[in-house]
Amino acid sequence: YHSSSQGGVTQLLRYPIFAAQLSRVLPALNIALAMNVVGHFIALVWNRYALRQVIEIVLHAAGLIVAIVFLRVFPFDYSALPLGGLAAALPTITMLILVLVIVGNIIEIIVHLVRLVASLSTR
């Protein structure tokens, strides 16, 4: 959003950055958000270490899927933004951020998987 004032009248301008392919990402995103709410509620109700690790693995896997779908679909169009040269760099920055999110989720899955195996093996 960007406001523009002219003759004492302020007008709010909206620059959409999502392309039509966003509808391909929304189901995965909505499912991941619902899983996060349910998973964290379960973790609050039953405070068990192994259960918490399983929940974290599942939630990070869902986040990984959403990030991969975003990366494949890439529903962003920065060309309408009045940012000049930055609008040309934003697709690269967005791709870099999505790749970092994917790598971070993979690392989190591995860490929680190792914690789960370690906790189950010490029982």
Side-chain angles (χ1 to χ4, degrees):
Y1 290 97
H2 175 71
S3 64
S4 174
S5 297
Q6 197 172 31
V9 176
T10 301
Q11 186 178 26
L12 191 60
L13 303 172
R14 183 176 70 99
Y15 300 103
I17 61 170
F18 295 114
Q21 295 91 353
L22 180 66
S23 63
R24 292 174 49 196
V25 177
L26 287 179
L29 181 63
N30 289 337
I31 290 170
L33 289 173
M35 288 173 61
N36 267 282
V37 170
V38 171
H40 284 97
F41 180 75
I42 291 171
L44 284 172
V45 172
W46 294 288
N47 189 15
R48 302 284 183 258
Y49 186 78
L51 178 64
R52 178 71 179 182
Q53 298 309 314
V54 170
I55 290 170
E56 289 291 334
I57 291 168
V58 171
L59 295 182
H60 284 292
L64 177 65
I65 290 168
V66 170
I68 290 171
V69 171
F70 260 110
L71 190 63
R72 288 192 54 156
V73 173
F74 197 59
F76 303 107
D77 180 19
Y78 298 110
S79 61
L81 295 177
L83 300 174
L86 183 61
L90 282 175
T92 305
I93 293 169
T94 305
M95 292 284 275
L96 179 65
I97 290 171
L98 286 172
V99 168
L100 289 174
V101 167
I102 290 170
V103 170
N105 274 312
I106 291 171
I107 291 170
E108 284 288 331
I109 290 170
I110 293 169
V111 166
H112 289 291
L113 190 60
V114 168
R115 287 181 181 173
L116 176 65
V117 170
S119 73
L120 293 177
S121 66
T122 59
R123 284 187 170 184

